Amino acid sequence: MTQVRTVPTTPFEGQKPGTSGLRKKVRVFQQSGYAENFIQSVFDVVERPEAPTLVLGGDGRFYNRTVIQQAIRMAAANGYARVLVGQGGILSTPAASNVIRKYKASGGLILSASHNPGGPDEDFGIKYNIANGGPAPEAVTEAIYARTTAIDAWRTIDTPDIDLDTLGSVLVGTMTVEVIDPVADYADLMEELFDFAAIRAVVASGFTMRFDAMSAVTGPYASAILEGRLGFAEGTVVNGQPLEDFGGHHPDPNLIHAKDLYDLMMGPDAPDLGAASDGDGDRNLIIGRGRFITPSDSLAMLAANIECAPAYRGRLTGIARSMPTSAAADRVAQALGVPCFETPTGWKFFGNLLDAGMVTICGEESAGTGSDHVREKDGLWAVLLWLNILAVRGISVDQLAKEHWARFGRNYYARHDYEAVNKEGADALMAGLVAQLPTLAGTVLGDLTVAAADSFAYTDPVDGSVSANQGIRVLFEGGSRVVFRLSGTGTAGATLRVYLENFVPPSGDLDADTSAMLAAQIAAAEAVAGIAGHTGRTAPDVIT
Ligand code: G16
């Protein structure tokens, strides 16, 4: 039996998981014992059966392999019987969720900082997912955090790095490590869910697309599925090789960081569909020829057409969206006679609803869409569902959007991000809003009158847990609104997110310029929050 070595340590400050795990600069993670303290804290508090299995993988960013090797040694010293690790240390976040579920693991460590840049001076992250395949709920992340503040030792065994690039099993101490194909199980699942025959048929008759993998984790998945199984031409997937620094780019599929794709889709040579995914493969961007689809609209449009996909036919039980996501999905739910749940930001809040069978499809404004097939949002899944719907219905993205708005009306929507602003200024802005809450109703802000304002709190309908302070909502007469939140995923300063929404009924102007349709809400946001004064910024860094 290989000797377990106990390494004395002292707590690091600030190991509190954010919206999605612990995310910090690589240099922070490189401090001796930093990653080890956090991983040991996870192992100390999470529920594990006898002889548990741990899933390990990440988005391939810089430092991924180092932490994977260390996590393997620590798992062996902490009583795990088996580790399943993606070849090359790679597993997209949704693929990891699937592997946890399929092989009945007790949980998994996913190494990613998602859409944030990678490299020695950029970002890294560690997230723990529980046995249902989903991100650890708040009670677990709080327990992990509490443990990080008291930890005094971590355990490891002394053994060399394993070969992460060769498929197969090796023993580390008495623990089995299986290096698995990161793509195969996931691709099989997608083929079970969707009408691949219908998609293959439209591809054969000339339907074209471009998928931008942004030099991040989805490249191998997209190539295998789109080009390999569905017959799209070679070259359909661009930037398909995962790189440790994502080629120096932000692997964030939005209109700023995927601008090349956007320009292509708005130009004369646009294929039928443009799509992209992020660093760890859970976000998606959908653009039709000449038509960008907001993530909020995408959720609503996918839900309205979900009957086109074989695995979902006749079994839509409900829809869930995060609070800042537009209410477009609510209108679909109402028309279909199913409930719509409004949760705080963070995929972890969907887990209970999905486990209880109360919802089938969920989505967030932050480019996330997913369903009960795994417990994470899933970028490629969303793209495949769009393809499935377009193939079965034989219409374009633009036609589908227009048809949808003509039936349900249109929720004009945008998110303004003020990135890496001074933390004190951002906190003061939020505190200023909280202080105004009791007296805001009835206030006139330019053309708009405040109908109600609150700080969003959520009571989980399954376990009754309460999550307070989840963003400030300012609702205007007529149904439009502005929401303010501080990001929980940034690694420098604070990021202020301002979410703007204006509903136009089917009888209104359904094809107007979004910024014009939101001008009154943008002005009201500045008036009520004093964004320029608090942040020193007169314009957002990113508009999505
Ligand atoms: C994470 C969560 C998402 C959430 C997003 C919001 O996404 O998984 O559920 O919507 O953060 O981030 P923020 O707090 O910055 O607004 P990801 O893709 O970063 O894992």
Side-chain angles (χ1 to χ4, degrees):
M1 162 89 194
T2 318
Q3 197 67 36
V4 171
R5 185 161 61 89
T6 299
V7 183
T9 188
T10 51
F12 287 92
E13 259 180 44
Q15 292 200 321
K16 188 175 174 64
T19 312
S20 192
L22 182 67
R23 292 187 188 165
K24 300 282 178 195
K25 291 288 170 203
V26 166
R27 302 277 182 217
V28 174
F29 270 101
Q30 282 175 326
Q31 297 171 84
S32 171
Y34 190 90
E36 289 84 352
N37 271 19
F38 188 74
I39 293 169
Q40 185 65 51
S41 298
V42 170
F43 291 162
D44 283 348
V45 306
V46 299
E47 269 181 36
R48 291 187 282 163
E50 282 285 298
T53 296
L54 180 74
V55 171
L56 256 184
D59 62 13
R61 67 179 58 226
F62 180 80
Y63 212 48
N64 196 44
R65 282 172 178 261
T66 308
V67 176
I68 285 198
Q69 297 286 2
Q70 192 68 326
I72 289 171
R73 285 185 275 265
M74 291 181 65
N78 277 276
Y80 281 92
R82 184 168 71 139
V83 161
L84 302 176
V85 57
Q87 187 179 25
I90 293 277
L91 276 176
S92 77
T93 293
S97 183
N98 180 46
V99 171
I100 293 170
R101 294 166 68 78
K102 182 165 180 175
Y103 297 100
K104 307 212 173 338
S106 62
L109 286 171
I110 302 178
L111 311 182
S112 171
S114 187
H115 51 288
N116 294 327
D121 294 314
E122 299 295 353
D123 295 348
F124 191 73
I126 305 181
K127 174 165 92 157
Y128 184 73
N129 280 30
I130 59 174
N132 74 353
E138 272 194 342
V140 177
T141 55
E142 286 299 328
I144 295 169
Y145 173 55
R147 182 67 193 137
T148 65
T149 64
I151 190 164
D152 58 8
W154 49 274
R155 288 189 291 284
T156 190
I157 62 170
D158 291 315
T159 185
D161 286 356
I162 69 151
D163 174 5
L164 281 175
D165 297 307
T166 306
L167 295 178
S169 291
V170 291
L171 272 181
V172 171
T174 55
M175 183 182 81
T176 305
V177 180
E178 289 175 35
V179 178
I180 61 170
D181 178 336
V183 175
D185 290 319
Y186 178 84
D188 290 348
L189 175 64
M190 294 301 117
E191 194 150 3
E192 281 165 31
L193 298 178
F194 299 120
D195 191 342
F196 272 32
I199 302 173
R200 271 188 217 111
V202 292
V203 173
S205 60
F207 185 99
T208 53
M209 81 172 286
R210 173 174 292 185
F211 182 92
D212 190 341
M214 306 192 85
S215 306
V217 78
T218 25
Y221 297 84
S223 302
I225 296 172
L226 298 174
E227 297 178 9
R229 297 197 188 196
L230 291 171
F232 280 103
E234 214 174 290
T236 294
V237 177
V238 299
N239 300 315
Q241 179 70 33
L243 300 176
E244 284 199 331
D245 66 350
F246 309 117
H249 298 130
H250 269 252
D252 193 353
N254 61 31
L255 301 185
I256 303 293
H257 298 302
K259 188 169 182 307
D260 289 355
L261 180 69
Y262 179 76
D263 290 345
L264 173 77
M265 295 310 297
M266 296 301 136
D269 302 322
D272 294 294
L273 180 66
S277 191
D278 71 331
D280 61 331
D282 57 3
R283 298 185 175 207
N284 72 87
L285 170 67
I286 300 290
I287 315 177
R289 189 178 283 142
R291 174 67 67 187
F292 162 63
I293 303 293
T294 68
S296 295
D297 272 347
S298 181
L299 171 65
M301 291 169 188
L302 292 177
N305 290 281
I306 203 157
E307 292 290 310
C308 294
Y312 298 96
R313 212 159 281 152
R315 60 172 209 86
L316 181 73
T317 58
I319 305 173
R321 64 165 174 87
S322 67
M323 180 275 281
T325 303
S326 92
D330 304 37
R331 294 170 201 286
V332 174
Q334 199 182 13
L336 299 181
V338 298
C340 188
F341 296 89
E342 185 177 31
T343 62
T345 295
W347 204 263
K348 58 192 171 199
F349 292 102
F350 294 139
N352 279 349
L353 297 169
L354 290 164
D355 283 352
M358 293 164 77
V359 302
T360 310
I361 181 169
C362 335
E364 297 186 287
E365 51 65 39
S366 58
T369 336
S371 84
D372 57 1
H373 68 292
V374 290
R375 292 295 181 273
E376 287 280 3
K377 56 189 188 276
D378 190 341
L380 206 45
W381 172 91
V383 175
L384 291 167
L385 180 51
W386 266 99
L387 278 172
N388 186 151
I389 291 166
L390 297 176
V392 168
R393 301 213 37 213
I395 59 175
S396 70
V397 172
D398 185 49
Q399 285 167 330
L400 188 138
K402 286 182 172 149
E403 174 200 276
H404 186 95
W405 295 328
R407 178 173 173 201
F408 296 101
R410 180 170 178 185
N411 293 68
Y412 283 95
Y413 188 86
R415 186 178 95 183
H416 288 189
D417 293 335
Y418 300 79
E419 293 183 339
V421 299
N422 176 278
K423 174 118 177 47
E424 286 72 40
D427 288 342
L429 181 150
M430 294 302 286
L433 286 167
V434 170
Q436 293 180 67
L437 285 178
T439 55
L440 266 186
T443 306
V444 175
L445 299 166
D447 296 342
L448 299 170
T449 304
V450 178
D454 67 3
S455 172
F456 181 63
Y458 176 68
T459 304
D460 186 301
V462 178
D463 66 15
S465 59
V466 177
S467 303
N469 305 320
Q470 298 294 323
I472 301 293
R473 299 192 286 193
V474 181
L475 313 170
F476 300 108
E477 285 176 7
S480 69
R481 70 172 189 170
V482 177
V483 171
F484 300 87
R485 239 190 102 244
L486 297 185
S487 159
T489 59
T491 57
T495 292
L496 171 69
R497 304 205 193 286
V498 183
Y499 310 83
L500 307 139
E501 179 174 356
N502 184 15
F503 175 68
V504 171
S507 56
D509 187 351
L510 299 175
D511 207 0
D513 176 58
T514 297
S515 57
M517 295 304 284
L518 294 173
Q521 288 71 24
I522 293 169
E526 175 57 40
V528 72
I531 300 169
H534 283 297
T535 66
R537 306 277 176 85
T538 51
D541 300 281
V542 177
I543 298 179
T544 45

